[in-house]
Amino acid sequence: MSEESTTPDLVELMRRRVDAADSGDVEAMTSFFASDAVWDSSPMGLEVFEGRAAIRRFFEDWWGVYDVSGAEAEQLLDLGNGVTFTVLVLKGRPVGSGEGVRLRYAAVTLWVEGAVARDTNYTDIDEARGAAERLAESRE
């Protein structure tokens, strides 16, 4: 009898998160987060949101300013010990504007029992990669 792994495939979970963001489905985007999760965009000069409800409000506010929006992953890595590193590109056209915007950033995600415990977001991709590697090593 073969044993199936109970460890979730974090790269697949991250792909699903990106697909939810690409669709603009805030409920689906939020469903990946633990109830006490943290969304930290302070390395980007933005705020820190604590708890799934606060993260949902942030997503609603962020995505609500766009007529058209989308997300794609350039790179998805499972660094081990519950840590993923993802380079993402968000694209959108703000409400009332004919011009599109593009944001390329990296997310360092800590997963606990298949849910996001913490996302820390960086515009400096190299800084994010270093932070992700240090986090993965510290959890060994």
Side-chain angles (χ1 to χ4, degrees), residues 39-50:
W39 175 272
D40 180 359
S41 292
S42 61
M44 298 171 70
L46 300 173
E47 296 179 56
V48 176
F49 297 91
E50 296 183 22

Side-chain angles (χ1 to χ4, degrees), residues 4-133:
E4 286 190 38
S5 172
T6 58
T7 304
D9 180 344
L10 299 183
V11 169
E12 180 57 30
L13 286 174
M14 196 62 197
R15 268 195 193 97
R16 289 186 207 157
R17 283 186 60 199
V18 173
D19 289 346
D22 189 49
S23 74
D25 184 342
V26 172
E27 279 304 312
M29 291 165 55
T30 308
S31 71
F32 291 92
F33 289 83
S35 61
D36 60 347
V38 175
W39 175 272
D40 180 359
S41 292
S42 61
M44 298 171 70
L46 300 173
E47 296 179 56
V48 176
F49 297 91
E50 296 183 22
R52 188 183 302 135
I55 294 167
R56 179 183 296 114
R57 283 191 300 277
F58 167 72
F59 288 159
E60 289 170 344
D61 291 347
W62 182 271
W63 289 107
V65 299
Y66 295 97
D67 276 332
V68 176
S69 60
E72 65 183 55
E74 283 186 2
Q75 183 177 29
L76 292 161
L77 297 174
D78 182 343
L79 300 180
N81 301 313
V83 177
T84 58
F85 170 78
T86 309
V87 177
L88 297 136
V89 177
L90 297 181
K91 296 180 251 180
R93 188 179 69 233
V95 172
S97 173
E99 298 295 317
V101 295
R102 179 180 186 272
L103 172 64
R104 182 174 184 260
Y105 73 102
V108 176
T109 306
L110 174 61
W111 298 83
V112 176
E113 297 179 4
V116 175
R118 184 179 192 90
D119 248 352
T120 307
N121 303 291
Y122 299 79
T123 51
D124 184 321
I125 306 303
D126 293 330
E127 179 185 359
R129 187 181 316 273
E133 290 168 353

